[in-house]
Amino acid sequence: MKFEDRLAHQVQATRGSVKKFVGRATGNSRLEAAGRREQARGNLKRAGDKLRDAFKR
Protein backbone atom coordinates (compact mmCIF):
# COMPACT_ATOMS: atom_id res chain seq x y z
CA MET A 1 0.00 0.00 0.00
CA LYS A 2 1.34 3.37 -0.93
CA PHE A 3 2.14 5.85 1.79
CA GLU A 4 -0.07 8.48 0.15
CA ASP A 5 -3.09 6.17 0.28
CA ARG A 6 -2.50 5.35 3.93
CA LEU A 7 -2.14 9.02 4.74
CA ALA A 8 -5.33 9.88 2.85
CA HIS A 9 -7.27 7.24 4.78
CA GLN A 10 -5.89 8.52 8.09
CA VAL A 11 -6.80 12.09 7.13
CA GLN A 12 -10.33 10.99 6.23
CA ALA A 13 -10.77 9.29 9.62
CA THR A 14 -9.39 12.33 11.44
CA ARG A 15 -11.56 14.73 9.45
CA GLY A 16 -14.59 12.66 10.40
CA SER A 17 -13.59 12.72 14.04
CA VAL A 18 -13.31 16.52 13.96
CA LYS A 19 -16.70 16.85 12.25
CA LYS A 20 -18.25 14.56 14.84
CA PHE A 21 -16.75 16.60 17.68
CA VAL A 22 -17.85 19.95 16.20
CA GLY A 23 -21.33 18.60 15.51
CA ARG A 24 -21.63 17.36 19.09
CA ALA A 25 -20.29 20.65 20.50
CA THR A 26 -22.69 22.78 18.46
CA GLY A 27 -25.69 20.48 18.76
CA ASN A 28 -25.77 19.91 15.01
CA SER A 29 -26.89 16.30 14.64
CA ARG A 30 -26.44 16.27 10.86
CA LEU A 31 -22.80 17.33 11.12
CA GLU A 32 -22.23 14.80 13.88
CA ALA A 33 -23.75 12.01 11.77
CA ALA A 34 -21.70 13.05 8.74
CA GLY A 35 -18.59 12.97 10.90
CA ARG A 36 -19.40 9.48 12.15
CA ARG A 37 -19.90 8.24 8.60
CA GLU A 38 -16.66 9.78 7.37
CA GLN A 39 -14.71 8.48 10.35
CA ALA A 40 -16.10 4.99 9.87
CA ARG A 41 -15.23 5.07 6.17
CA GLY A 42 -11.66 6.13 6.89
CA ASN A 43 -11.26 3.51 9.62
CA LEU A 44 -12.65 0.80 7.33
CA LYS A 45 -10.19 1.76 4.60
CA ARG A 46 -7.33 1.70 7.12
CA ALA A 47 -8.38 -1.77 8.25
CA GLY A 48 -8.39 -2.89 4.62
CA ASP A 49 -4.88 -1.51 4.19
CA LYS A 50 -3.65 -3.43 7.22
CA LEU A 51 -5.30 -6.63 6.02
CA ARG A 52 -3.79 -6.24 2.56
CA ASP A 53 -0.35 -5.69 4.05
CA ALA A 54 -0.72 -8.72 6.31
CA PHE A 55 -1.31 -10.98 3.32
CA LYS A 56 1.51 -9.43 1.28
CA ARG A 57 4.14 -10.53 3.78
Side-chain angles (χ1 to χ4, degrees):
M1 182 91 316
K2 292 198 300 187
F3 177 75
E4 294 85 17
D5 293 336
R6 284 182 173 218
L7 186 61
H9 298 158
Q10 175 64 39
V11 167
Q12 185 176 21
T14 304
R15 191 178 334 130
S17 178
V18 169
K19 278 185 184 180
K20 184 175 72 170
F21 176 77
V22 171
R24 193 177 294 159
T26 60
N28 186 339
S29 60
R30 283 187 179 184
L31 184 60
E32 184 179 354
R36 285 181 192 216
R37 279 192 307 271
E38 191 167 350
Q39 185 179 18
R41 240 183 251 135
N43 287 338
L44 188 62
K45 288 179 181 180
R46 288 179 63 210
D49 293 343
K50 289 180 183 179
L51 187 63
R52 218 174 288 131
D53 284 347
F55 282 106
K56 273 186 177 178
R57 295 177 186 173

